[in-house]
Amino acid sequence: MSLQENMAASIRAIMKNRHKSLSEFSAELGISRNALYNYLRGRGNPSIATLEHMAKNLGVSPAALMLGVFDTDRRQVMLTLLGTIGGMADLPEDKRLRIAELLLEVVKIWNEE
């Protein structure tokens, strides 16, 4: 799965769990209804700032939102992550560094268990 598909699955799962309509959930996320619709279809390409904003409003880490994984099976998280790393090589260095920071945050959270 691509990062966009992972994010779509994550958002869809949270929206369903919270029993929210598209309009209600876009308001909760702090984004437009149209942007949410595109993200749910795997067509949106949010900036890192938007991704962080949505994750904060959802109470999840940006990495979890990108990976589409909310369970504690670390092996599955790593498999998903490894599947996306190849595409990250083409990103500009500033974005790769930000993603590295987010992944380090995930490691810190795991180590707090």
Side-chain angles (χ1 to χ4, degrees), residues 10 19 22 26 33 37 59 62 75 83 106 112:
S10 298
H19 307 287
L22 192 68
S26 67
R33 187 179 182 277
Y37 179 81
R75 289 174 297 171
V106 169
E112 291 175 357

Side-chain angles (χ1 to χ4, degrees), residues 31-72:
I31 61 173
S32 73
R33 187 179 182 277
N34 189 47
L36 176 57
Y37 179 81
N38 285 328
Y39 297 156
L40 289 169
R41 300 297 175 259
R43 288 184 273 167
N45 193 17
S47 67
I48 296 293
T50 300
L51 181 66
E52 289 175 330
H53 173 78
M54 290 190 311
K56 180 180 177 185
N57 288 350
L58 292 172
V60 300
S61 75
L65 197 57
M66 287 187 329
L67 294 176
V69 178
F70 291 95
D71 61 24
T72 57

Side-chain angles (χ1 to χ4, degrees), residues 60-64 74 102-113:
V60 300
S61 75
R74 292 180 185 187
L102 294 171
L103 293 174
L104 286 172
E105 184 65 25
V106 169
V107 170
K108 287 178 188 176
I109 291 169
W110 278 349
N111 288 331
E112 291 175 357
E113 290 182 17

